[in-house]
Amino acid sequence: MRQLRDAQHISLRNLAKITFHGKTYLHELETGMKTPTTQVAQRIDDALNAAGELVALAAQPTIPRREFVAAAGLAAALPHTLVSHGRHVGPGTAGRLAERTARLRRLDNFLGGADTQQLYSAEADSTTRLIKDGSYSEAVGRQLLAVLAEQTQLAGWAAFDAGRHTDADRLYRTSLSAARDANDRALVANAYAFLAYQQIALGRPAADTATAACDAAAAATPIVRALLHLRAAWAHAVAGDADAADQQLAQGSACLTEHDDRPEPDWVYWVDDVEGEIMTGRCWTVLHRPMRAIPVLERALARFDDTHSRDKALYLSWLADAYLDANEVEHACATAAAAVRLAGGVGSVRPAQRLNSFLNRMGPHGGMPCVVELRTLAAEAATRPRPSV
């Protein structure tokens, strides 16, 4: 419901006027506090042109989150019968697949890779079969390959987030091949950026790969270039090269202010000035420059919604590190505790990895009450069942 409202720029207030329901009641439905009747779901479905998606979801019984994800994903997607294999594929099919991928991409805002990888991989497999079995023109073929490149990048990201690095590497390289065949240099560059990000996570040098990403998309749209420069800054920061990181951050920030008549691809929809501040703060944290990192991260996190729990938990962990570097142990523990609470139940291995890294730094302060409380909180969180992958 929220995704549909955001996509159509409809406020809760305006939706209340259209549906004749109160704004507070609609908010309670949207946040899961209340469950709509079939009639209410139908009225909201009609108002948001949801073509039955919301009605179908409202008809589901109370179900665990992972089963809900599957239902939501299928509801968000176009029926597979629209892209039947073994027949002629017209120019509109790639567009419908791209729209479907864009809808499913938004799930990553709220869920971890353990929740979404199977769904994303199934989408990529379906498009692969369509490319293999379908009949289409050369132009349509390039469009389908570009969609496949997007889908395998999304599936690779989910695998990475779930800690399945072998799968992630395979999917990223499939994406790189598809993007090259599609002659889409921006997607080629993004595949390199994903590979660089994974190299960093595995403790491998990544600056050259990140630089290759920037070079491949030198003529891309501003937001694409902003993302690539910010990712390159991270690679240089982790490598300890403060000057190169600062240069890439400056280029990324400059790109965010550029104006261009060309449309941005959907896969950079989330890149904005907040993302620029987050990456800037992370870079200065890993370079142990807390006086630069703390104000930037605090400002950005104040604008970051708690519903994006995985990402906010990760970003809070960097702020906790920066506080610790500034010898503000109590602030560091309070921030890390907030991250622990947000990360509970998230289908991602990364928040726990970051928080473990932070806790390993607390040895010299182990006797402080705030550290004892944090370790207890983290231990309790660790005993909860891990999300199934």
Side-chain angles (χ1 to χ4, degrees):
M1 182 175 163
R2 179 175 177 177
Q3 289 178 24
L4 288 166
R5 281 201 309 104
D6 288 347
Q8 298 173 55
H9 306 291
I10 298 175
S11 67
L12 273 176
R13 186 181 300 278
N14 286 336
L15 184 60
K17 292 178 181 178
I18 297 170
T19 61
F20 303 104
H21 290 297
K23 177 183 172 183
T24 300
Y25 175 62
L26 293 176
H27 175 73
E28 289 171 339
L29 294 178
E30 194 169 80
T31 56
M33 295 174 65
K34 290 185 178 179
T35 302
T37 64
T38 301
Q39 292 79 9
V40 170
Q42 184 65 64
R43 188 173 296 171
I44 298 171
D45 192 287
D46 292 341
L48 296 175
N49 299 310
E53 295 177 22
L54 294 179
V55 173
L57 287 174
Q60 295 285 342
T62 302
I63 48 179
R65 184 174 70 164
R66 279 163 187 76
E67 284 77 3
F68 172 78
V69 172
L74 292 173
L78 291 172
H80 281 276
T81 55
L82 293 181
V83 288
S84 301
H85 304 292
R87 65 171 176 81
H88 178 72
V89 182
T93 300
R96 292 197 295 273
L97 286 173
E99 290 174 359
R100 163 176 169 157
T101 301
R103 294 287 295 279
L104 295 178
R105 183 179 287 114
R106 269 62 177 178
L107 290 175
D108 185 65
N109 284 337
F110 310 103
L111 303 169
D115 296 317
T116 56
Q117 186 193 351
Q118 185 176 0
L119 176 62
Y120 291 160
S121 294
E123 294 293 306
D125 290 343
S126 179
T127 301
T128 299
R129 293 196 305 273
L130 183 65
I131 292 171
K132 179 181 177 181
D133 299 337
S135 171
Y136 40 80
S137 68
E138 182 179 347
V140 170
R142 286 196 299 271
Q143 293 171 354
L144 291 173
L145 285 165
V147 172
L148 178 62
E150 284 193 50
Q151 291 174 335
T152 45
Q153 286 178 10
L154 193 55
W157 169 254
F160 167 79
D161 194 46
R164 290 183 162 181
H165 294 293
T166 300
D167 287 345
D169 184 78
R170 172 181 55 79
L171 287 160
Y172 288 156
R173 295 187 186 279
T174 299
S175 170
L176 181 59
S177 177
R180 284 171 172 164
D181 290 343
N183 196 28
D184 190 320
R185 293 188 64 81
L187 280 170
V188 168
N190 202 38
Y192 277 129
F194 273 126
L195 284 166
Y197 211 70
Q198 176 155 316
Q199 288 169 346
I200 293 169
L202 295 175
R204 302 170 185 168
D208 289 346
T209 308
T211 300
C214 295
D215 293 343
T221 51
I223 303 302
V224 170
R225 287 186 283 113
L227 172 63
L228 299 174
H229 284 300
L230 292 173
R231 289 280 173 86
W234 177 239
H236 287 297
V238 171
D241 191 338
D243 290 340
D246 202 17
Q247 182 181 16
Q248 292 290 340
L249 288 172
Q251 289 181 267
S253 297
C255 290
L256 287 172
T257 65
E258 287 185 26
H259 297 284
D260 195 310
D261 292 333
R262 294 174 294 171
E264 295 285 351
D266 182 77
W267 47 266
V268 293
Y269 80 92
W270 52 276
V271 180
D272 55 16
D273 59 333
V274 175
E275 174 63 20
E277 289 186 329
I278 290 290
M279 190 60 81
T280 297
R282 289 177 64 191
C283 286
W284 289 122
T285 297
V286 79
L287 288 164
H288 301 290
R289 304 281 185 86
M291 301 310 293
R292 293 191 181 191
I294 289 171
V296 176
L297 286 172
E298 287 182 334
R299 183 168 61 246
L301 283 165
R303 300 162 59 191
F304 212 87
D305 198 315
D306 280 0
T307 57
H308 298 201
S309 53
R310 176 200 60 199
D311 292 343
K312 190 161 187 177
L314 286 166
Y315 303 153
L316 284 168
S317 75
W318 292 110
L319 179 57
D321 267 334
Y323 279 138
L324 190 57
D325 282 340
N327 202 32
E328 293 287 348
V329 181
E330 291 86 354
H331 275 76
C333 287
T335 303
V340 171
R341 295 185 183 97
L342 274 175
V346 171
S348 169
V349 301
R350 295 186 297 139
Q353 290 171 344
R354 282 287 309 131
L355 290 163
N356 285 337
S357 175
F358 173 80
L359 287 170
N360 288 338
R361 299 185 60 201
M362 301 302 290
H365 312 285
M368 294 181 64
C370 64
V371 177
V372 174
E373 291 175 8
L374 176 62
R375 290 190 184 280
T376 300
L377 180 65
E380 291 173 351
T383 62
R384 300 187 190 114
R386 288 193 175 191
S388 58
V389 180

